[in-house]
Amino acid sequence: MLYLNDDIDALDLDKALSQISAQRREQALKFKYELGQKLCAAAYLLLCEGLRTEYGITEKPLFSYLADGKPILAGHQGIHFNLSHCKNAAVCALSPHPIGVDVERIRSYHDSLVRYTMNEREIQMIEASERPDVTFIRLWTMKEAKLKLLGTGIQKDMKDILLPDDRFTTLVNLDKGYVISVTESVNQ
């Protein structure tokens, strides 16, 4: 299940901070700017909403961390989640299977970044697209969602991380200016 907040400006930061765990509040307040604090709190509140709706869990979730740094829900190892946010939106993905999600703002890109992160087939897709900026961000979010699923984070070589049998759900919102990609592993 996917939970989304793409109206971050409407979030009351003080109220949000009072509704999240002390662990997440500490993390949110590490952000220098209010927008980062809001996004961090919004993603956590989406997790709370998802846990309440999907699993009937009403307590504020606490995170534990795997050796690679990937967060898991303390006391609920059978529930998998992933959070992401960008300037335009916060998102939470929940599943009984390992899951990865990424949301990115649609923006112009630099050819050097494309060539550093995309393989030849992907570069051709981007260059042939009517909206190269959107195609690049779509591919980028797919790559980052997969890396988050795997728990490896961004690696030096992202070019060949996507495989033909990978499955993604991607949402492009041109009006609000973001792309979301989600992938999960049902084989683990």
Side-chain angles (χ1 to χ4, degrees):
M1 298 305 300
L2 191 68
Y3 291 84
L4 169 70
N5 180 344
D6 60 5
D7 189 16
I8 300 300
D9 289 337
L11 184 78
D12 179 330
L13 181 59
D14 290 331
K15 182 178 178 184
L17 290 173
S18 73
Q19 295 174 331
I20 63 178
S21 70
Q23 180 191 48
R24 187 65 174 191
R25 186 171 33 259
E26 182 180 325
Q27 189 175 5
L29 292 173
K30 287 181 182 178
F31 284 89
K32 183 176 180 179
Y33 298 104
E34 183 177 293
L35 178 59
Q37 295 172 0
K38 281 185 168 187
L39 289 164
C40 184
Y44 181 87
L45 289 172
L46 292 170
L47 174 62
C48 292
E49 178 185 350
L51 291 172
R52 187 173 48 255
T53 302
E54 304 300 323
Y55 299 97
I57 297 171
T58 57
E59 72 265 11
K60 296 174 185 174
L62 295 177
F63 300 155
S64 295
Y65 296 89
L66 299 176
D68 59 16
K70 184 174 182 173
I72 59 172
L73 292 173
H76 300 284
Q77 283 72 19
I79 302 172
H80 299 270
F81 77 99
N82 205 231
L83 306 175
S84 184
H85 53 77
C86 69
K87 194 175 194 177
N88 304 42
V91 66
C92 171
L94 278 171
S95 175
H97 309 286
I99 193 161
V101 65
D102 188 45
V103 59
E104 296 289 338
R105 181 173 57 94
I106 298 170
R107 59 193 178 281
S108 61
Y109 65 91
H110 301 283
D111 189 61
S112 61
L113 182 59
V114 169
R115 301 216 175 273
Y116 185 71
T117 59
M118 303 291 155
N119 62 39
E120 283 304 314
R121 183 183 58 78
E122 294 163 344
I123 291 170
Q124 290 172 1
M125 288 173 54
I126 293 165
E127 290 175 347
S129 174
E130 288 183 32
R131 290 288 308 264
D133 55 340
V134 174
T135 302
F136 170 72
I137 294 297
R138 182 178 60 79
L139 289 166
W140 177 272
T141 60
M142 291 167 64
K143 289 178 183 235
E144 193 161 335
K146 179 157 183 196
L147 293 169
K148 290 174 76 177
L149 166 75
L150 298 173
T152 61
I154 294 179
Q155 303 170 344
K156 287 185 179 180
D157 187 4
M158 296 175 61
K159 289 183 180 183
D160 296 313
I161 190 69
L162 300 180
L163 301 174
D165 60 343
D166 288 341
R167 299 288 175 251
F168 293 88
T169 301
T170 300
L171 167 70
V172 177
N173 188 323
L174 294 176
D175 292 336
K176 297 223 176 183
Y178 61 81
V179 176
I180 300 170
S181 288
V182 183
T183 188
E184 68 181 305
S185 173
V186 294
N187 298 326
Q188 293 185 0

